Amino acid sequence: MSQNIQFQDTSRKTSEVLESILNDIKTDRITLRDLMAMIGEQGLLLLCALLSLPFLFPVSIPGVSTVFGAGIVLIAIAITINRLPWLPDFVANRELETAKLVPVLNRGVTFLRKLDRFLKPRLSYLTAGAVANRVNGLALTFAGVLLMMPLSFIPFSNTLPGVAILLLSTGISQRDGALVGGGYGLIGLTIVYFGGLAWLIWATGASFNIPGFS
């Protein structure tokens, strides 16, 4: 837990790295611990990107929201404090069916491959330095918390923070400040969206004189 982490620049595109990892999955079930071992401790940002992919599409895979959401939060906290992450067993060792998970992840990689064409180092003040790393880590943590909120039955409630996590993690790893800025914008949009839903619920309850909403 005391070991620091360092984010190394890479010439490989995020989609290429994640695609190669998915091609190496040969088992019927996989855990978050397995994915971490495949990516390695230097690939925490890539792991966040990978864990966000299932939420880009309106699909339901049992256990993914809790396990991947909690994983993103804990990994993001580790990024913020510059330490290797600690994951509780119920998060790290929860088994997921690869037959359902891998096709969704591959669809996400296809989307990411299109995004990679626009990636380039820019706006370095959003990606370089200790302060930027910690602020971005906090943003990733907050987006992970939004992702874990029990609102999966509401359209876009997982998609918006999922895309924010993908933009932040990819932008930081590829030193693209514009993508990081887009991630912050998606977090803001998620807050507005959730706030609008809360107001709508309150207004509906008040209009019908439901106790507690007046």
Side-chain angles (χ1 to χ4, degrees):
M1 184 69 179
S2 61
Q3 184 178 351
N4 289 354
I5 53 177
Q6 299 294 330
F7 302 120
Q8 300 173 349
D9 293 334
T10 176
S11 59
R12 295 188 68 189
K13 295 181 179 179
T14 304
S15 60
E16 294 175 351
V17 178
L18 297 184
E19 186 174 25
S20 66
I21 291 169
L22 294 179
N23 289 336
D24 289 337
I25 297 177
K26 307 298 182 184
T27 57
D28 294 332
R29 292 180 173 273
I30 195 167
T31 66
L32 183 54
R33 191 181 303 279
D34 295 331
L35 291 173
M36 288 187 66
M38 295 172 71
I39 292 178
E41 64 188 36
Q42 299 297 338
L44 296 181
L45 291 168
L46 291 177
L47 184 56
C48 283
L50 179 67
L51 299 184
S52 72
L53 296 182
F55 307 104
L56 305 185
F57 312 100
V59 296
S60 178
I61 304 175
V64 168
S65 179
T66 301
V67 174
F68 281 17
I72 289 170
V73 169
L74 294 171
I75 292 168
I77 291 174
I79 290 172
T80 304
I81 63 176
N82 195 34
R83 294 290 187 272
L84 293 179
W86 169 83
L87 300 178
D89 288 341
F90 81 91
V91 172
N93 296 330
R94 172 70 179 272
E95 292 187 341
L96 301 169
E97 295 182 37
T98 55
K100 295 180 179 179
L101 180 61
V102 172
V104 176
L105 294 177
N106 277 321
R107 288 177 63 190
V109 169
T110 300
F111 170 81
L112 189 55
R113 193 179 298 119
K114 297 177 181 178
L115 184 64
D116 275 341
R117 294 180 296 178
F118 304 98
L119 289 173
K120 61 181 180 180
R122 52 188 162 179
L123 303 179
S124 60
Y125 62 89
L126 290 177
T127 62
V131 174
N133 284 341
R134 280 156 178 72
V135 172
N136 291 336
L138 289 172
L140 271 173
T141 304
F142 184 62
V145 171
L146 293 175
L147 185 64
M148 290 184 65
M149 295 184 69
L151 301 173
S152 58
F153 58 93
I154 299 176
F156 305 112
S157 60
N158 283 340
T159 303
L160 291 175
V163 174
I165 292 166
L166 179 63
L167 294 180
L168 284 168
S169 54
T170 303
I172 297 167
S173 64
Q174 299 293 324
R175 306 304 186 198
D176 190 336
L179 219 61
V180 172
Y184 279 97
L186 261 294
I187 291 176
L189 183 60
T190 304
I191 295 172
V192 172
Y193 183 57
F194 285 1
L197 290 174
W199 178 86
L200 183 62
I201 293 171
W202 175 85
T204 301
S207 66
F208 287 96
N209 296 318
I210 298 176
F213 286 91
S214 57

